[in-house]
């Protein structure tokens, strides 16, 4: 631990507390996402792959939250007086099953989130060539993350060994790979949407626009990238603050995914409503007024006979 660094037991408590707050926000956004995907839609109309991803992200972040709570209980209650050198040494032991489990969940969450970014990039560009480099980086995330978890599981119980050379090398490579994957995928996606919006803005017949989607994509990418970059910096400086940032990343990944999906769904709904408004038949009522009197069908007045007025309505679809 660097001089003046946060004590590891304190960092763990802060990390779990902040993760719990962000997890609460992610649960609310998950509920909004499920509502947006299923509201007024039949089973055939629901996007099942995206729904499955949303549920998986929620399950992974929930499992991570549960493991963190168990880990705090083990370190501060169960093994507080029996573990050598106390709670700080317990939390520094990366060979603990709870530590290995929570990091394995984080790797899965990251791979799932980055995979969604790459898929969105392919769906917008409709070209396999565009996602070759992001896909290679995604594979790099999988390899480096697996080796990092493997090294942690096989590590000794010496305090602070997460910053040991072999383990730190894989962890740094993983952070760099996932950060680059996210920035490249989100950048390609945002650029494509911006180009499409610029090309159709001059000939658009309706007020529908993709700029809200572009804005939320950029916001989500910035949110995730800032948290990830901060984690990488803290780890490179061998600071225990990286434990705090690392636990915060789990719900942030879910929040970034949900905010984009909710915005896309809202935009689709607005477009469908606008399209329905512009294509519905316009009912035009044409009234024909004829005057009748007893003497003539052409409205010739008579002093002895009263006139009546009848309105006939004719409707047509335009």
């Amino acid at each position: 631990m660097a001089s003046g660094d946060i004590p590891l037991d304190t960092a763990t408590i802060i990390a779990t507390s902040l993760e719990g707050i962000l997890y609460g926000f992610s649960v609310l956004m998950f509920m909004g996402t499920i509502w947006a995907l299923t509201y007024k839609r039949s089973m055939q109309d629901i996007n099942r792959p995206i729904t499955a991803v949303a549920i998986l992200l929620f399950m992974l972040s929930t499992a991570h939250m549960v493991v963190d709570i168990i880990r705090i209980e083990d370190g501060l209650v169960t093994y507080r007086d029996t573990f050598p050198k106390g709670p700080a040494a317990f939390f520094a032991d990366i060979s603990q099953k709870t530590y290995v489990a929570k990091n394995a969940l984080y790797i899965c969450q990251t791979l799932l989130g980055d995979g969604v970014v790459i898929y969105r990039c392919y769906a917008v560009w409709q070209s396999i060539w565009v996602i070759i480099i992001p896909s290679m980086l995604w594979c790099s995330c999988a390899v480096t993350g697996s080796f990092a978890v493997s090294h942690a599981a096989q590590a000794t119980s010496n305090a602070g060994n997460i910053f040991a050379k072999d383990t730190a090398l894989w962890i740094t490579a993983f952070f760099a790979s996932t950060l680059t994957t996210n920035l490249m995928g989100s950048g390609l996606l945002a650029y494509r949407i911006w180009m499409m919006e610029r090309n159709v803005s001059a000939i658009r017949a309706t007020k529908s626009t993709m700029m809200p989607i572009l804005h939320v994509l950029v916001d989500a990418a910035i949110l995730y990238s800032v948290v990830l970059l901060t984690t990488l910096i803290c780890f490179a400086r061998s600071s225990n603050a990286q434990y705090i940032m690392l636990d915060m990343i789990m719900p942030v990944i879910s929040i970034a995914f949900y905010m984009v999906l909710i915005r896309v769904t809202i935009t689709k709904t607005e477009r469908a409503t606008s399209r329905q408004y512009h294509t519905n038949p316009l009912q035009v009522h044409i009234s024909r007024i004829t005057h009748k009197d007893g003497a003539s069908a052409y409205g010739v007045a008579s002093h002895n006979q009263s006139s009546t007025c009848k309105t006939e309505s004719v409707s047509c679809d335009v």
Side-chain angles (χ1 to χ4, degrees):
M1 183 177 69
S3 178
D5 199 4
I6 304 174
L8 198 49
D9 49 354
T10 303
T12 303
I13 295 174
I14 296 174
T16 304
S17 301
L18 293 178
E19 181 186 3
I21 295 173
L22 292 175
Y23 173 76
F25 282 111
S26 71
V27 170
L28 292 177
M29 296 192 69
F30 170 73
M31 295 170 62
T33 299
I34 297 300
W35 177 85
L37 289 171
T38 59
Y39 182 67
K40 290 185 178 180
R41 297 190 184 187
S42 62
M43 289 298 297
Q44 293 77 12
D45 295 332
I46 296 176
N47 191 328
R48 296 182 182 180
I50 296 299
T51 304
V53 171
I55 295 174
L56 281 174
L57 288 173
F58 174 72
M59 293 174 62
L60 288 170
S61 59
T62 300
H64 191 274
M65 189 74 231
V66 171
V67 172
D68 271 343
I69 293 174
I70 295 174
R71 181 170 169 79
I72 280 188
E73 183 183 6
D74 287 346
L76 298 180
V77 179
T78 306
Y79 302 112
R80 177 181 180 86
D81 299 322
T82 58
F83 196 87
K85 299 183 180 180
F90 175 87
F91 293 124
D93 183 8
I94 62 175
S95 64
Q96 290 290 327
K97 293 181 179 179
T98 50
Y99 184 87
V100 175
K102 65 180 287 186
N103 280 275
L105 290 170
Y106 167 61
I107 300 299
C108 294
Q109 182 93 326
T110 300
L111 292 176
L112 188 59
D114 289 349
V116 170
V117 173
I118 295 173
Y119 168 76
R120 287 171 176 165
C121 191
Y122 170 76
V124 171
W125 281 89
Q126 290 294 305
S127 173
I128 195 70
W129 299 104
V130 175
I131 63 170
I132 287 180
I133 295 180
S135 298
M136 293 174 63
L137 290 169
W138 185 89
C139 293
S140 174
C141 292
V143 172
T144 55
S146 299
F147 273 101
V149 172
S150 177
H151 273 268
Q154 299 172 8
T156 62
S157 58
N158 295 327
N161 58 6
I162 188 177
F163 301 114
K165 183 177 180 180
D166 291 341
T167 306
L169 180 64
W170 292 110
I171 294 176
T172 303
F174 171 79
F175 283 149
S177 297
T178 184
L179 179 61
T180 308
T181 302
N182 179 73
L183 289 176
M184 182 174 292
S186 300
L188 288 170
L189 187 59
Y191 174 74
R192 181 62 171 173
I193 293 177
W194 177 75
M195 287 295 295
M196 294 169 62
E197 175 68 18
R198 192 182 69 169
N199 291 337
V200 303
S201 59
I203 58 175
R204 183 184 291 115
T206 66
K207 295 182 179 180
S208 174
T209 176
M210 291 185 292
M211 292 307 294
I213 297 178
L214 178 60
H215 292 160
V216 78
L217 277 172
V218 173
D219 291 342
I222 292 175
L223 172 65
Y224 178 58
S225 299
V226 167
V227 176
L228 193 57
L229 182 61
T230 305
T231 306
L232 179 58
I233 293 173
C234 291
F235 184 83
R237 294 178 59 86
S238 300
S239 171
N240 287 333
Q242 67 94 19
Y243 288 98
I244 300 175
M245 301 306 302
L246 188 61
D247 283 351
M248 291 173 60
I249 290 180
M250 284 294 293
V252 165
I253 294 175
S254 299
I255 291 172
F257 173 82
Y258 296 148
M259 62 190 290
V260 173
L261 187 57
I262 291 174
R263 179 69 260 184
V264 170
T265 304
I266 291 175
T267 301
K268 284 184 178 180
T269 303
E270 291 175 349
R271 286 184 177 182
T273 303
S274 177
R275 190 180 301 112
Q276 182 180 9
Y277 174 79
H278 283 88
T279 58
N280 274 348
L282 177 63
Q283 299 291 330
V284 179
H285 297 278
I286 304 174
S287 297
R288 182 172 66 241
I289 302 176
T290 59
H291 291 274
K292 291 183 180 180
D293 59 34
S296 171
Y298 297 95
V300 179
S302 172
H303 294 287
N304 298 324
Q305 295 169 329
S306 61
S307 297
T308 61
C309 177
K310 182 176 69 175
T311 302
E312 298 176 0
S313 295
V314 181
S315 64
C316 62
D317 293 337
V318 176

